[in-house]
Amino acid sequence: MNDIVRLDIKYLKGVGPKRAELLAKELNIHSYYDMLYYFPFRYIDKSQIHRICDISGDMPSIQLKGRFITFSEQGEGARKRLHALFSDGSGNIEIVWFNSVKRMKESLLPGKEYIIFGKPTLYNSRYSISHPEIEESKPNLEPKGLRGIYTLTEKMRNKSLTSKTIQQLQENLLASIKQIDETLPKEILERYKLMGLHEALINIHMPRSIHDLQRAQLRLKFDELFFLQLNILRFAKSRNSKILGFKFDKIGNYFNNFYNTSLPFPLTNAQKRVIKEIRKDMGKGRQMNRLLQGDVGSGKTLVAVMSALIALDNGYQASIIAPTEILATQHYATVSEMLEKVGVKVALLTGSTKKSERDVIHSQLTSGELNILIGTHAILEDTVQFHNLGLVIIDEQHRFGVAQRAKMWQKNTTPPHILVMTATPIPRTLAMTVYGDLDVSVIDELPPGRKPVTTVLRFDNHRQSVYRFIGEQLKLGRQIYIVYPLIQENEKLDLRNLEEGYEIIKETFPSYRVCFVHGKMRPAEKDYQMQLFVNHKADIMVATTVIEVGVNVPNASVMVIENAERFGLAQLHQLRGRVGRGADQSYCILMSNQKLSKDTRHRLKVMTETNDGFIVAEEDMKLRGPGDMEGTQQSGISFNLKIANLAKDGQIVQLARDAASEIIENDPMLTLPQNKTLAEQLMFLFQKQANWSLIS
Ligand code: ADP
Ligand code: MG
């Protein structure tokens, strides 16, 4: 980019030291570049003149051309107003001023033609405009195009720095640079039919037409995302080429025997595809770092098991780590049953494994006798040493920090392959940005025969009918979850709600067994209560969100979520995933009070309309913004994009990603002469930023 954009903003015509200080403080604008990339947040249309008789409905600000016919002052003292009737031959409209009465009355001449600009509002079934912008109409005054409106702060307004001022400064700025150097290679401009940078910057500030504005926006969004991706991929590439990994190039007896004799059901196409991706990745000779996304119930466990068998076939051990003891125990039960016939030795290690058992596990691990170790955080401890660990599978990733993953890397001389499984879908655009080159596999298909969970919203005054429904389901022999939110700030009160709920449920369903779980319980007690439900020794579980992760009780058919308005979308979806695991029709009942904000109402509506975790995730990102999504905080990426929006511009993210990765494939360090401009622009954009992509 031209050197001139680095100039201090105080040198721009119309700025000077005082304004420069204000711009720096209020808008973080320090240089010409900062100013040029301070884009309008919306536009007003001055490209056409409306007729008064056509004014209808809720219109934005519009332009009218005509004459003032009458003026009248109304009210007294501070409440004095000026009313005028404005006519264009097609009709009249009232114009009102609440201040500057005297000045307006003196400056506006009856009979002279003016162009006025403002928003018509309906009052007492008549349209009026208050405080319009006014210009004298000149014979050859062309209708202007769109005008950008810039965000201002209170302080700026007080110092009379208006949107119009900024507009003027942008004009001065653009006039002072004859030609803004192009930053994208010609092939990319041509392939994606992008507007040139110079033209785009002019049109983003002073669009000639809606069409040109849209092309300018596309170009600048692409630009922003392209350089972001280029930066991410450049570091990811150099990281990948450095870290060697085990080469699993064999498929042997473990895998084949399992596939031929013990596969519990035919794989779904998505499972097949994902296993292929994992196998290919582990065969490359570099360390795999893969995220496996699949909605709750999509069959990730089976993928994990088959990946582990590939490790075994190549002479290595594998380990599966789960975030809770319950989940680890369940995995252990499922996996050891699946692998019984193929002669794989599996063990379980958790915080409550007895010393004597632990000793056996330790020695079998180091001798290599043990093939797969399943467990909790207990596996991370330094005393747990493997003979030859080749693959680590981490279930429900978001409970695991980067530091913990790093611990597993150290369990072998060469870091083992890592497969992280998560049931919290992340929109693809976000995954590409946050995880850089962490490869992503997606199971986007549920096993056949699943009945989608029916989700309904019920208000507190429907409670009796909800209880009746629960009663019917209990009679059918099903189990019920009832979940309460816990909000940190007022734990005591929350706990009382939960306990009250528990008492009411016991009274309402006296002939059924109710268990009770919350996060503040001692782990042993919590486990005991959970096991009651898992083994169908309890029919109803009243709980806080501790059940969110992983428990598998196919007989549970109803999930009641109390105060559903207090949960986020991701959490609601996770909770709902606890039901719908068996053959029966399942239900999720969202209980809430009736006073809901617009966003909350939308959130709950999304839940009742779709079971698809990816749609839920997209909606979640639209509501909360990418910066607040699960897992993005630690990423260190700034989501303060100037113009692109990860939630809305998914397609552009993909295009930018493709374009960037093609370039990085051919020239990882951007040293080729044709990529010199790109390298310089990257330096210019990211020089201050730390190399965060190494973290993921
Ligand atoms: P999650 O992805 O949530 O971890 P699980 O691996 O626990 O899902 O699988 C959910 C359920 O679906 C389990 O009961 C499992 O046995 C079953 N399942 C997995 N794969 C298939 C398949 N290909 N066909 C039928 N059922 C399957
Ligand atoms: Mg699972």
Side-chain angles (χ1 to χ4, degrees):
M1 202 159 223
N2 314 48
D3 283 339
I4 187 172
V5 300
R6 296 168 196 259
L7 276 184
D8 191 314
I9 192 65
K10 72 181 175 207
Y11 299 119
L12 181 65
K13 185 176 154 209
V15 179
K18 276 241 172 72
R19 269 194 176 160
E21 205 177 301
L22 193 63
L23 286 169
K25 223 173 169 176
E26 298 297 302
L27 300 180
N28 209 14
I29 292 177
H30 304 273
S31 64
Y32 278 36
Y33 176 87
D34 296 339
M35 178 58 104
L36 197 53
Y37 279 79
Y38 189 65
F39 301 141
F41 75 99
R42 70 183 175 91
Y43 295 84
I44 52 180
D45 187 358
K46 291 204 160 184
S47 62
Q48 52 173 322
I49 290 182
H50 282 77
R51 294 196 309 163
I52 293 175
C53 66
D54 292 335
I55 295 175
S56 66
D58 184 28
M59 285 182 138
S61 291
I62 52 168
Q63 273 188 135
L64 300 170
K65 183 158 91 175
R67 296 177 164 80
F68 290 99
I69 336 178
T70 58
F71 292 94
S72 68
E73 284 180 42
Q74 297 181 10
E76 284 299 318
R79 307 189 56 191
K80 191 138 96 183
R81 308 183 300 274
L82 178 64
H83 287 238
L85 213 54
F86 186 81
S87 163
D88 68 353
S90 82
N92 300 331
I93 187 167
E94 192 167 40
I95 312 294
V96 188
W97 292 267
F98 297 94
N99 47 44
S100 329
V101 168
K102 187 154 172 271
R103 185 165 61 83
M104 294 317 298
K105 204 175 155 193
E106 282 167 8
S107 65
L108 296 172
L109 304 174
K112 195 178 173 87
E113 194 171 56
Y114 291 98
I115 291 185
I116 67 170
F117 180 82
K119 182 176 166 53
T121 49
L122 198 57
Y123 183 70
N124 279 343
S125 68
R126 276 185 59 104
Y127 282 103
S128 67
I129 297 178
S130 49
H131 293 262
E133 285 177 30
I134 301 175
E135 269 175 71
E136 279 177 34
S137 164
K138 306 213 177 88
N140 55 359
L141 189 75
E142 305 223 338
K144 289 181 196 148
L146 293 116
R147 182 196 289 173
I149 304 292
Y150 298 84
T151 312
L152 303 169
T153 64
E154 200 54 42
K155 279 220 178 82
M156 296 171 69
R157 281 202 200 88
N158 293 343
K159 300 238 155 89
S160 318
L161 211 163
T162 63
S163 183
K164 234 176 171 171
T165 322
I166 304 239
Q167 180 82 62
Q168 186 58 53
L169 296 177
Q170 300 288 9
E171 276 176 39
N172 297 349
L173 204 168
L174 284 160
S176 71
I177 310 177
K178 272 192 207 71
Q179 180 64 43
I180 294 168
D181 297 341
E182 183 52 61
T183 50
L184 290 178
K186 218 163 128 215
E187 306 85 67
I188 290 187
L189 288 179
E190 279 168 12
R191 184 172 346 144
Y192 299 102
K193 302 200 171 48
L194 296 172
M195 194 180 235
L197 182 59
H198 186 82
E199 216 189 331
L201 285 167
I202 291 178
N203 274 288
I204 202 76
H205 293 293
M206 293 159 261
R208 281 182 300 255
S209 66
I210 300 246
H211 177 74
D212 286 347
L213 171 62
Q214 286 166 339
R215 292 200 55 214
Q217 285 169 328
L218 172 66
R219 156 65 206 242
L220 293 168
K221 285 176 178 182
F222 183 93
D223 228 50
E224 187 165 45
L225 295 167
F226 172 79
F227 283 104
L228 185 63
Q229 289 296 334
L230 205 58
N231 197 42
I232 289 168
L233 292 175
R234 185 176 54 152
F235 285 119
K237 182 94 182 171
S238 62
R239 180 190 69 199
N240 281 342
S241 56
K242 277 196 210 106
I243 299 174
L244 292 177
F246 300 122
K247 191 165 180 168
F248 293 175
D249 49 7
K250 282 200 292 277
I251 289 290
N253 286 340
Y254 284 127
F255 189 95
N256 287 330
N257 284 346
F258 175 75
Y259 194 84
N260 295 327
T261 67
S262 302
L263 199 61
F265 18 63
L267 297 174
T268 63
N269 286 328
Q271 284 171 321
K272 279 187 203 158
R273 189 189 67 238
V274 162
I275 291 169
K276 256 191 215 138
E277 286 168 2
I278 293 169
R279 180 184 158 187
K280 194 169 151 215
D281 207 1
M282 295 195 300
K284 277 185 189 160
R286 68 164 176 88
Q287 188 210 17
M288 174 174 79
N289 235 315
R290 186 167 283 273
L291 180 70
L292 174 59
Q293 283 198 46
D295 217 337
V296 274
S298 60
K300 293 185 290 294
T301 316
L302 192 53
V303 171
V305 167
M306 296 184 70
S307 310
L309 293 179
I310 297 177
L312 269 49
D313 277 339
N314 285 274
Y316 291 84
Q317 293 164 301
S319 180
I320 303 177
I321 307 180
T324 64
E325 185 145 353
I326 282 270
L327 197 57
T329 312
Q330 271 194 356
H331 274 327
Y332 174 69
T334 333
V335 175
S336 44
E337 193 192 316
M338 270 195 231
L339 297 181
E340 212 180 317
K341 275 198 255 157
V342 277
V344 171
K345 197 158 167 50
V346 189
L348 174 70
L349 180 71
T350 70
S352 48
T353 306
K354 288 197 199 73
K355 171 93 174 52
S356 52
E357 286 171 53
R358 192 179 285 256
D359 288 344
V360 175
I361 290 174
H362 282 176
S363 78
Q364 291 184 341
L365 260 190
T366 39
S367 73
E369 195 182 328
L370 197 57
N371 304 112
I372 300 179
L373 181 64
I374 299 178
T376 57
H377 288 66
I379 295 181
L380 300 179
E381 281 166 32
D382 294 333
T383 47
V384 181
Q385 290 296 329
F386 290 78
H387 170 64
N388 201 1
L389 179 64
L391 169 66
V392 176
I393 298 164
I394 303 174
D395 199 7
E396 308 292 356
Q397 177 242 4
H398 58 276
R399 305 272 158 137
F400 252 80
V402 176
Q404 290 162 317
R405 256 188 280 166
K407 278 211 134 182
M408 291 310 290
W409 282 38
Q410 289 149 17
K411 301 243 179 218
N412 207 339
T413 42
T414 298
H417 296 299
I418 307 273
L419 180 67
V420 167
M421 305 199 291
T422 168
T424 310
I426 303 165
R428 263 188 67 75
T429 56
L430 193 60
M432 279 191 272
T433 311
V434 176
Y435 293 103
D437 205 32
L438 185 80
D439 301 282
V440 181
S441 284
V442 181
I443 307 186
D444 50 6
E445 179 190 359
L446 291 181
R450 285 287 164 76
K451 294 198 184 79
V453 178
T454 302
T455 304
V456 293
L457 174 62
R458 292 287 178 263
F459 298 117
D460 290 331
N461 55 352
H462 297 133
R463 190 165 290 279
Q464 288 318 312
S465 69
V466 170
Y467 284 164
R468 252 196 318 280
F469 179 74
I470 292 177
E472 287 162 19
Q473 290 286 310
L474 286 168
K475 234 183 244 155
L476 291 171
R478 311 269 189 273
Q479 287 165 277
I480 317 285
Y481 291 104
I482 300 180
V483 179
Y484 282 81
L486 262 196
I487 292 191
Q488 237 82 57
E489 300 102 64
N490 203 342
E491 259 175 58
K492 277 209 183 105
L493 191 71
D494 285 330
L495 201 58
R496 207 164 67 220
N497 275 344
L498 180 74
E499 277 164 356
E500 249 170 46
Y502 174 57
E503 294 304 327
I504 293 172
I505 291 296
K506 275 200 300 192
E507 272 166 40
T508 317
F509 303 103
S511 49
Y512 292 96
R513 300 156 298 179
V514 186
C515 67
F516 181 59
V517 192
H518 61 83
K520 289 274 169 289
M521 275 175 166
R522 275 180 298 118
E525 173 67 6
K526 190 159 76 188
D527 244 42
Y528 174 78
Q529 295 283 334
M530 291 274 234
Q531 288 300 347
L532 286 180
F533 195 70
V534 171
N535 301 325
H536 204 169
K537 300 227 166 68
D539 305 287
I540 304 176
M541 177 194 280
V542 176
T544 58
T545 46
V546 288
I547 62 156
E548 188 188 325
V549 166
V551 279
N552 187 27
V553 182
N555 188 49
S557 65
V558 180
M559 163 70 62
V560 178
I561 305 177
E562 295 284 350
N563 291 112
E565 75 276 5
R566 289 217 213 154
F567 290 95
L569 264 178
Q571 223 179 358
L572 289 172
H573 183 69
Q574 281 286 307
L575 285 169
R576 176 169 61 182
R578 299 305 110 213
V579 295
R581 305 192 142 225
D584 309 305
Q585 175 63 51
S586 294
Y587 304 87
C588 174
I589 303 174
L590 308 172
M591 299 295 300
S592 94
N593 60 35
Q594 250 154 320
K595 270 190 259 144
L596 298 175
S597 70
K598 200 170 138 232
D599 277 2
T600 308
R601 197 172 287 278
H602 181 70
R603 222 167 44 225
L604 298 176
K605 189 158 159 265
V606 168
M607 287 298 295
T608 59
E609 284 174 355
T610 185
N611 271 290
D612 184 329
F614 285 90
I615 297 180
V616 172
E618 297 277 352
E619 288 297 326
D620 200 20
M621 183 160 85
K622 279 183 202 153
L623 283 170
R624 290 198 290 161
D628 287 328
M629 301 287 286
E630 199 90 60
T632 56
Q633 263 93 3
Q634 312 94 300
S635 74
I637 293 183
S638 159
F639 286 90
N640 291 331
L641 296 175
K642 289 182 197 302
I643 185 164
N645 178 330
L646 290 176
K648 295 185 183 138
D649 299 321
Q651 267 181 323
I652 310 177
V653 178
Q654 185 66 57
L655 293 180
R657 166 83 163 196
D658 293 346
S661 74
E662 197 174 307
I663 286 175
I664 292 292
E665 272 316 305
N666 294 325
D667 183 14
M669 300 318 288
L670 297 179
T671 44
L672 294 177
Q674 68 263 36
N675 292 328
K676 188 161 167 271
T677 317
L678 291 179
E680 282 169 4
Q681 182 68 0
L682 267 190
M683 272 293 282
F684 174 69
L685 291 172
F686 295 103
Q687 58 201 354
K688 285 184 230 125
Q689 209 170 341
N691 179 6
W692 35 256
S693 72
L694 284 175
I695 297 164
S696 66

mmCIF file of all heavy atoms in Angstrom, residues 236-251:
data_model
loop_
_atom_site.group_PDB
_atom_site.id
_atom_site.type_symbol
_atom_site.label_atom_id
_atom_site.label_comp_id
_atom_site.label_asym_id
_atom_site.label_seq_id
_atom_site.Cartn_x
_atom_site.Cartn_y
_atom_site.Cartn_z
ATOM 1 N N ALA A 236 0.446 -21.651 10.049
ATOM 2 C CA ALA A 236 0.034 -23.037 10.222
ATOM 3 C C ALA A 236 0.903 -23.940 9.359
ATOM 4 O O ALA A 236 1.330 -25.000 9.774
ATOM 5 C CB ALA A 236 -1.428 -23.187 9.846
ATOM 6 N N LYS A 237 1.174 -23.478 8.168
ATOM 7 C CA LYS A 237 1.974 -24.267 7.244
ATOM 8 C C LYS A 237 3.378 -24.483 7.807
ATOM 9 O O LYS A 237 3.900 -25.581 7.788
ATOM 10 C CB LYS A 237 2.049 -23.523 5.902
ATOM 11 C CG LYS A 237 2.807 -24.243 4.853
ATOM 12 C CD LYS A 237 1.867 -25.063 4.001
ATOM 13 C CE LYS A 237 2.678 -25.820 2.967
ATOM 14 N NZ LYS A 237 1.848 -26.766 2.261
ATOM 15 N N SER A 238 3.965 -23.432 8.323
ATOM 16 C CA SER A 238 5.327 -23.609 8.817
ATOM 17 C C SER A 238 5.331 -24.485 10.071
ATOM 18 O O SER A 238 6.239 -25.259 10.296
ATOM 19 C CB SER A 238 6.002 -22.261 9.086
ATOM 20 O OG SER A 238 5.314 -21.550 10.071
ATOM 21 N N ARG A 239 4.245 -24.411 10.853
ATOM 22 C CA ARG A 239 4.151 -25.272 12.027
ATOM 23 C C ARG A 239 4.075 -26.735 11.593
ATOM 24 O O ARG A 239 4.791 -27.585 12.070
ATOM 25 C CB ARG A 239 2.910 -24.914 12.833
ATOM 26 C CG ARG A 239 2.746 -25.767 14.078
ATOM 27 C CD ARG A 239 1.390 -25.559 14.706
ATOM 28 N NE ARG A 239 0.353 -26.106 13.858
ATOM 29 C CZ ARG A 239 -0.925 -25.768 13.941
ATOM 30 N NH1 ARG A 239 -1.314 -24.870 14.797
ATOM 31 N NH2 ARG A 239 -1.801 -26.330 13.158
ATOM 32 N N ASN A 240 3.177 -26.986 10.628
ATOM 33 C CA ASN A 240 2.974 -28.359 10.187
ATOM 34 C C ASN A 240 4.219 -28.991 9.600
ATOM 35 O O ASN A 240 4.482 -30.160 9.810
ATOM 36 C CB ASN A 240 1.871 -28.417 9.130
ATOM 37 C CG ASN A 240 0.526 -28.339 9.788
ATOM 38 O OD1 ASN A 240 0.421 -28.568 10.980
ATOM 39 N ND2 ASN A 240 -0.478 -28.006 9.028
ATOM 40 N N SER A 241 4.964 -28.192 8.848
ATOM 41 C CA SER A 241 6.099 -28.804 8.199
ATOM 42 C C SER A 241 7.193 -29.111 9.214
ATOM 43 O O SER A 241 8.045 -29.942 8.980
ATOM 44 C CB SER A 241 6.620 -27.902 7.090
ATOM 45 O OG SER A 241 6.917 -26.645 7.639
ATOM 46 N N LYS A 242 7.128 -28.468 10.376
ATOM 47 C CA LYS A 242 8.159 -28.705 11.384
ATOM 48 C C LYS A 242 7.888 -29.946 12.216
ATOM 49 O O LYS A 242 8.786 -30.652 12.600
ATOM 50 C CB LYS A 242 8.270 -27.488 12.308
ATOM 51 C CG LYS A 242 9.139 -26.406 11.728
ATOM 52 C CD LYS A 242 9.538 -25.416 12.800
ATOM 53 C CE LYS A 242 9.724 -24.037 12.186
ATOM 54 N NZ LYS A 242 8.645 -23.128 12.510
ATOM 55 N N ILE A 243 6.592 -30.181 12.568
ATOM 56 C CA ILE A 243 6.299 -31.239 13.521
ATOM 57 C C ILE A 243 6.099 -32.573 12.828
ATOM 58 O O ILE A 243 5.106 -32.802 12.158
ATOM 59 C CB ILE A 243 5.074 -30.873 14.380
ATOM 60 C CG1 ILE A 243 5.387 -29.590 15.153
ATOM 61 C CG2 ILE A 243 4.732 -32.000 15.334
ATOM 62 C CD1 ILE A 243 4.242 -29.035 15.910
ATOM 63 N N LEU A 244 7.072 -33.436 13.011
ATOM 64 C CA LEU A 244 6.958 -34.764 12.433
ATOM 65 C C LEU A 244 6.015 -35.596 13.276
ATOM 66 O O LEU A 244 5.802 -35.323 14.447
ATOM 67 C CB LEU A 244 8.332 -35.423 12.395
ATOM 68 C CG LEU A 244 9.311 -34.770 11.427
ATOM 69 C CD1 LEU A 244 10.665 -35.453 11.513
ATOM 70 C CD2 LEU A 244 8.768 -34.831 10.005
ATOM 71 N N GLY A 245 5.462 -36.608 12.669
ATOM 72 C CA GLY A 245 4.571 -37.472 13.427
ATOM 73 C C GLY A 245 4.786 -38.909 13.020
ATOM 74 O O GLY A 245 5.513 -39.203 12.066
ATOM 75 N N PHE A 246 4.149 -39.818 13.765
ATOM 76 C CA PHE A 246 4.242 -41.232 13.414
ATOM 77 C C PHE A 246 3.531 -41.470 12.099
ATOM 78 O O PHE A 246 2.496 -40.863 11.834
ATOM 79 C CB PHE A 246 3.589 -42.087 14.496
ATOM 80 C CG PHE A 246 4.214 -41.918 15.843
ATOM 81 C CD1 PHE A 246 3.454 -41.498 16.920
ATOM 82 C CD2 PHE A 246 5.569 -42.183 16.032
ATOM 83 C CE1 PHE A 246 4.025 -41.339 18.170
ATOM 84 C CE2 PHE A 246 6.140 -42.027 17.279
ATOM 85 C CZ PHE A 246 5.375 -41.605 18.350
ATOM 86 N N LYS A 247 4.072 -42.397 11.325
ATOM 87 C CA LYS A 247 3.445 -42.702 10.052
ATOM 88 C C LYS A 247 2.669 -44.009 10.193
ATOM 89 O O LYS A 247 3.262 -45.079 10.289
ATOM 90 C CB LYS A 247 4.530 -42.823 8.980
ATOM 91 C CG LYS A 247 3.984 -42.886 7.600
ATOM 92 C CD LYS A 247 5.095 -42.634 6.592
ATOM 93 C CE LYS A 247 4.535 -42.707 5.190
ATOM 94 N NZ LYS A 247 5.478 -42.207 4.208
ATOM 95 N N PHE A 248 1.368 -43.903 10.259
ATOM 96 C CA PHE A 248 0.536 -45.110 10.360
ATOM 97 C C PHE A 248 0.101 -45.492 8.949
ATOM 98 O O PHE A 248 -0.926 -45.053 8.479
ATOM 99 C CB PHE A 248 -0.726 -44.842 11.199
ATOM 100 C CG PHE A 248 -0.462 -44.561 12.658
ATOM 101 C CD1 PHE A 248 -1.523 -44.207 13.496
ATOM 102 C CD2 PHE A 248 0.811 -44.673 13.202
ATOM 103 C CE1 PHE A 248 -1.305 -43.947 14.840
ATOM 104 C CE2 PHE A 248 1.031 -44.410 14.548
ATOM 105 C CZ PHE A 248 -0.023 -44.047 15.372
ATOM 106 N N ASP A 249 0.900 -46.320 8.307
ATOM 107 C CA ASP A 249 0.539 -46.613 6.914
ATOM 108 C C ASP A 249 -0.069 -47.994 6.723
ATOM 109 O O ASP A 249 -0.327 -48.413 5.609
ATOM 110 C CB ASP A 249 1.734 -46.397 5.987
ATOM 111 C CG ASP A 249 2.979 -47.091 6.501
ATOM 112 O OD1 ASP A 249 2.860 -47.848 7.501
ATOM 113 O OD2 ASP A 249 4.053 -46.886 5.922
ATOM 114 N N LYS A 250 -0.288 -48.698 7.842
ATOM 115 C CA LYS A 250 -0.844 -50.052 7.705
ATOM 116 C C LYS A 250 -2.289 -50.132 8.199
ATOM 117 O O LYS A 250 -2.673 -49.448 9.133
ATOM 118 C CB LYS A 250 -0.020 -51.020 8.553
ATOM 119 C CG LYS A 250 1.298 -51.417 7.942
ATOM 120 C CD LYS A 250 1.827 -52.701 8.557
ATOM 121 C CE LYS A 250 2.241 -52.551 10.009
ATOM 122 N NZ LYS A 250 3.582 -52.021 10.226
ATOM 123 N N ILE A 251 -3.053 -50.971 7.563
ATOM 124 C CA ILE A 251 -4.322 -51.401 8.134
ATOM 125 C C ILE A 251 -4.148 -52.890 8.345
ATOM 126 O O ILE A 251 -3.797 -53.608 7.407
ATOM 127 C CB ILE A 251 -5.488 -51.137 7.151
ATOM 128 C CG1 ILE A 251 -5.758 -49.647 7.039
ATOM 129 C CG2 ILE A 251 -6.742 -51.870 7.583
ATOM 130 C CD1 ILE A 251 -6.356 -49.016 8.276
#
